[in-house]
Amino acid sequence: MRILVTGGAGFIGSNLVAHLLAHGAERVVVLDALTYAGNLQNLAPVQADPRYRFVKGSILDQALVAELLESERLDTVANLAAESHVDRSIRGPEAFVETNVTGTLRMLEAARSYVEAHPALRDRFRYLQVSTDEVFGTLAADDPKFCETTPYAPNSPYAASKAGADHLVRAWHETFGLNTLISNCSNNYGPYQFPEKLIPLVLNNALSGKPLPIYGDGQQVRDWLHVGDHCEALASILARGAPGETYAIGGDAERTNLEVVGTICDLLDRHRPKNAGSYREQIAFVKDRPGHDRRYAIDARKLARELGWSPSRSFTQGIEDTVLWYLDHGDWVRDVTSGAYRDWVAEHYA
């Protein structure tokens, strides 16, 4: 596999890069714009690997993508570059449409032109769009889980932009014969997640003595997937997925937001106890966000049946491992939250 991983300096992307290199990829080229959530420190464990190359740039730069495909003789693309935070999409939706929809369009066009120029690549070339379960909307408590045939019903600007990208990917397979794949995953957690998302936000706030904000009543349900399991699923899809297919990836670990926050507090009470009291005392309920989906859950039986994948980590073990990772990597957390890393990027790439 000679692969381009876009968004490879982000949370899921950096974990995927490490996984691919650890499992025999011939070449891994990372393209990342290093916006606020992109962090070269995430890729420090692989920087010395001669099979790895980092390029700073945007998926909106179709010429750059085309040049990388050609010069590196790549046969696989995994597009993880995206604006990905619902709250940010509510405050500024245009950036989400530009990156997630227009950026995907330009990626697809670069890939299509590349394959058309190299007919021998057509059969083995793969383009994987890494998407989200949020494109399916929301579930009631007794609804069946999302699966590959669930109709799209996005409820936030972020989800709508990801849905639009998925539709483009499907159309490029049907219309132009590009070998595309789509994955829709549930909520990820694990190392290197930017501290705007629930789990690292709660960890960082708890240790800083700040409130632990929970939207509404905290009874929103999410299906939690460890990023390591997600990367194993993505590698399986890239290697053995059928062109044109969609695969739903879930952790089979439904928890309410309040349960997740409580679990983190209990783990911190055990591993980094306060002088007095429990971290649960910092929990603070805040006004719910607009259009907040009530429940997500993924039925991943297709992946298990066709590709032999299932999550190997229980949420109990995965969340404790994650808490311990953040406790052991305080410098990383301080760098990404202080602005020092962003200042370094601006100076380094001036």
Side-chain angles (χ1 to χ4, degrees):
M1 183 184 296
R2 299 181 63 87
I3 184 170
L4 174 66
V5 179
T6 66
F11 165 45
I12 299 172
S14 60
N15 278 280
L16 179 61
V17 168
H19 180 89
L20 293 171
L21 289 168
H23 290 81
E26 181 181 342
R27 183 67 161 161
V28 178
V29 179
V30 171
L31 178 65
D32 198 295
L34 295 180
T35 54
Y36 74 95
N39 188 340
L40 281 179
Q41 291 183 37
N42 298 357
L43 293 164
V46 304
Q47 282 180 351
D49 194 313
R51 298 169 295 160
Y52 157 81
R53 176 189 175 191
F54 176 80
V55 178
K56 183 177 184 291
S58 169
I59 61 172
L60 290 161
D61 189 343
Q62 186 173 325
L64 174 59
V65 174
E67 189 278 326
L68 291 174
L69 291 171
E70 187 70 46
S71 64
E72 292 282 355
R73 298 181 293 110
L74 303 175
D75 55 30
T76 310
V77 172
N79 184 24
L80 291 88
E83 296 285 349
S84 64
H85 194 231
V86 173
D87 290 347
R88 287 179 182 266
S89 79
I90 294 170
R91 294 173 63 92
E94 187 168 344
F96 285 71
V97 173
E98 181 179 32
T99 298
N100 299 353
V101 180
T102 305
T104 296
L105 168 64
R106 293 181 182 169
M107 289 288 299
L108 289 166
E109 282 293 84
R112 179 167 74 98
S113 297
Y114 175 62
V115 172
E116 288 177 351
H118 301 278
L121 273 176
R122 178 174 292 276
D123 289 340
R124 76 172 188 269
F125 186 85
R126 294 288 185 273
Y127 177 104
L128 171 61
Q129 182 77 8
V130 179
S131 188
T132 172
D133 59 358
E134 296 189 42
V135 299
F136 301 126
T138 189
L139 294 169
D142 56 351
D143 283 342
K145 297 178 179 182
F146 298 137
C147 68
E148 292 79 4
T149 58
T150 301
Y152 279 35
N155 290 322
S156 70
Y158 161 61
S161 69
K162 291 295 286 185
D166 290 359
H167 291 320
L168 288 175
V169 173
R170 184 181 188 279
W172 259 242
H173 173 73
E174 295 294 331
T175 301
F176 302 114
L178 190 66
N179 285 342
T180 63
L181 299 147
I182 298 172
S183 64
N184 297 97
C185 71
S186 58
N187 280 41
N188 276 221
Y189 68 100
Y192 299 115
Q193 189 171 26
F194 193 78
E196 67 182 357
K197 299 299 178 72
L198 178 65
I199 288 175
L201 173 67
V202 167
L203 280 165
N204 190 47
N205 279 19
L207 296 171
S208 302
K210 298 177 182 178
L212 311 182
I214 297 180
Y215 281 128
D217 60 5
Q219 296 305 305
Q220 303 87 358
V221 174
R222 300 294 182 261
D223 179 1
W224 291 95
L225 172 68
H226 191 277
V227 69
D229 283 328
H230 187 195
C231 291
E232 290 164 6
L234 295 177
S236 297
I237 293 167
L238 285 167
R240 303 190 304 281
E245 288 296 316
T246 294
Y247 297 92
I249 312 172
D252 194 25
E254 291 185 61
R255 300 287 191 283
T256 68
N257 288 345
L258 186 57
E259 286 177 306
V260 171
V261 174
T263 298
I264 294 170
C265 291
D266 294 344
L267 288 167
L268 288 174
D269 286 341
R270 186 192 316 163
H271 294 290
R272 187 69 62 83
K274 300 167 68 172
N275 291 331
S278 167
Y279 288 96
R280 284 179 177 265
E281 297 166 6
Q282 295 170 227
I283 291 175
F285 293 92
V286 299
K287 183 181 178 181
D288 209 354
R289 72 181 176 210
H292 199 175
D293 291 335
R294 195 63 173 174
R295 174 179 170 238
Y296 303 147
I298 286 281
D299 178 350
R301 286 180 293 178
K302 178 178 177 179
L303 258 179
R305 181 176 64 253
E306 296 186 7
L307 303 183
W309 177 89
S310 60
S312 62
R313 298 163 179 85
S314 69
F315 182 76
T316 300
Q317 184 58 55
I319 191 63
E320 183 164 20
D321 290 345
T322 299
V323 168
L324 292 174
W325 187 90
Y326 280 92
L327 291 178
D328 290 340
H329 291 79
D331 289 347
W332 181 89
V333 175
R334 283 190 293 273
D335 285 346
V336 300
T337 55
S338 69
Y341 175 74
R342 294 188 293 279
D343 293 342
W344 177 85
V345 168
E347 179 181 350
H348 187 73
Y349 289 102

